[in-house]
């Protein structure tokens, strides 16, 4: 494995900027070998990347964090990808079941503004980071894109992730919604069925609703925590790209 030293980050980003998504993924695998993985949310951008792993015949891990609170459709889509494409899918679990967590904290954390962050940390971020550290994985690819706006509007292809002492790669950081749809149709890739039911952004079932026409695509995330004067959380922070890393 080549080691990318910090000062190279700018040069690598310049290189990656002009590559295709496939070449960005290839760069990651050639540079980090099996320690380059994909973190899948099972949303449409992840469907594109999972299909790339299939078409490029990659055996690298595809990580999926089963929070215990997912829509049934999300789990079925994971199974469909495994069945159809024989991917090296690794499902990660939090230490506690939802029931154990609710008992420990004597409440459903996700129902409270001061509990949601801890719930996302325990059920998403910790299982992901534990796996990365335990197996020495160094680079996680994710489907975040600039066209999603918000904190993602200025994404670079490659970002350092201080939590893993490694990197996050955004192979389709410059793709539009239209490009995503075109790719999925062209290759007949399975897509999360809730996207067609006005769920542009999908997380855990208890923290996700559909959106009304004209609403922000992420308006359905943690809607129950929006209150007067507080717009509520927008990201779960499993992706360091959504935090202070940008
Ligand atoms: S999205 Fe909601 S249920 Fe899922 S981990 Fe975060 S707070 Fe918990």
């Amino acid at each position: 494995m080549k080691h990318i030293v910090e000062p190279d980050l700018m040069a690598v980003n310049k290189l990656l900027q002009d590559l295709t998504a496939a070449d960005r993924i290839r760069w990651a695998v050639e540079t980090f070998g099996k320690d380059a993985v994909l973190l899948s949310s099972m949303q449409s951008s992840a469907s594109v990347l999972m299909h790339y792993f299939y078409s490029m015949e990659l055996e690298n891990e595809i990580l999926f964090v089963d929070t215990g609170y997912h829509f049934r459709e999300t789990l079925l889509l994971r199974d469909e990808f495994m069945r159809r494409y024989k991917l090296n899918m690794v499902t990660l679990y939090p230490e506690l079941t939802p029931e154990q967590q609710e008992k420990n904290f004597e409440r459903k954390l996700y129902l409270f503004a001061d509990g949601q962050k801890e719930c996302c940390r325990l059920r998403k971020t910790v299982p992901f980071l534990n796996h990365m550290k335990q197996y020495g994985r160094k680079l996680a690819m994710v489907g975040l894109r600039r066209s999603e706006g918000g904190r993602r509007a200025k994404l670079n292809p490659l970002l350092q992730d201080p939590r893993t002492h490694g990197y996050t790669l955004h192979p389709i950081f410059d793709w539009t919604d239209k490009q995503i749809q075109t790719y999925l149709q062209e290759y007949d890739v399975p897509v999360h069925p809730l996207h067609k039911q006005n769920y542009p952004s999908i997380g855990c079932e208890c923290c996700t609703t559909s959106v009304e026409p004209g609403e922000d695509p992420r308006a359905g995330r943690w809607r129950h925590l929006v209150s007067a004067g507080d717009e509520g959380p927008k990201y779960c922070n499993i992706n360091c790209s959504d935090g202070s890393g940008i």
Side-chain angles (χ1 to χ4, degrees):
M1 181 186 86
K2 295 173 206 161
H3 180 65
I4 305 170
V5 290
E6 203 170 329
D8 284 340
L9 194 63
M10 201 184 279
V12 174
N13 265 321
K14 200 162 178 296
L15 168 85
L16 293 172
Q17 195 100 22
D18 298 325
L19 299 183
T20 62
D23 283 339
R24 290 169 189 152
I25 294 170
R26 197 167 291 116
W27 171 86
V29 172
E30 284 173 0
T31 306
F32 293 98
K34 68 177 181 4
D35 294 325
V37 301
L38 171 62
L39 175 62
S40 173
S41 65
M42 297 298 152
Q43 299 179 78
S44 55
S45 295
S47 285
V48 168
L49 292 176
M50 288 190 288
H51 187 265
Y52 265 116
F53 268 47
Y54 160 72
S55 61
M56 293 170 73
E57 299 182 3
L58 298 179
E59 292 176 3
N60 295 57
E61 291 175 345
I62 297 179
L63 308 182
F64 169 70
V65 185
D66 182 353
T67 64
Y69 288 116
H70 278 305
F71 289 98
R72 187 167 172 268
E73 290 88 339
T74 304
L75 303 178
L76 291 175
L77 184 64
R78 179 224 23 212
D79 296 347
E80 172 67 9
F81 267 94
M82 287 168 72
R83 234 189 330 264
R84 198 190 285 200
Y85 299 119
K86 310 283 182 263
L87 299 171
N88 182 13
M89 189 84 66
V90 179
T91 299
L92 309 176
Y93 298 93
E95 190 185 338
L96 302 179
T97 65
E99 294 75 21
Q100 288 168 332
Q101 181 174 300
E102 288 165 19
K103 197 168 169 218
N104 267 15
F105 287 89
E106 297 180 341
R107 60 179 183 162
K108 295 179 193 296
L109 287 177
Y110 61 81
L111 288 177
F112 301 90
D114 66 350
Q116 169 269 330
K117 265 201 186 112
E118 182 64 356
C119 188
C120 282
R121 192 183 73 81
L122 291 170
R123 309 207 72 75
K124 292 185 176 182
T125 308
V126 169
F128 164 61
L129 293 181
N130 280 351
H131 182 87
M132 295 292 285
K133 287 174 193 162
Q134 183 178 351
Y135 293 95
R137 304 297 182 232
K138 284 291 169 214
L139 179 141
M141 297 176 230
V142 292
L144 276 58
R145 295 176 291 121
R146 283 184 177 172
S147 59
E148 294 176 82
R151 288 191 199 167
R152 298 178 180 178
K154 291 184 181 164
L155 280 177
N156 279 322
L158 189 70
L159 185 77
Q160 279 185 311
D161 186 342
R163 305 170 307 175
T164 59
H165 304 295
Y167 300 87
T168 296
L169 177 69
H170 311 112
I172 51 172
F173 77 99
D174 52 352
W175 282 37
T176 61
D177 287 349
K178 179 96 177 41
Q179 282 174 285
I180 295 282
Q181 295 316 321
T182 304
Y183 182 96
L184 294 171
Q185 278 164 18
E186 183 176 352
Y187 295 102
D188 192 23
V189 184
V191 177
H192 201 301
L194 291 181
H195 283 319
K196 284 210 176 87
Q197 297 171 42
N198 299 322
Y199 287 78
S201 179
I202 303 164
C204 294
E205 183 169 10
C206 47
C207 294
T208 308
T209 69
S210 58
V211 301
E212 297 296 322
E215 274 194 310
D216 184 282
R218 294 189 69 85
R221 304 293 295 272
W222 302 286
R223 193 191 287 279
H224 60 292
L225 296 179
V226 177
S227 59
D230 184 351
E231 64 166 8
K234 282 280 167 280
Y235 304 95
C236 68
N237 287 334
I238 190 173
N239 298 302
C240 79
S241 324
D242 286 330
S244 56
I246 294 178

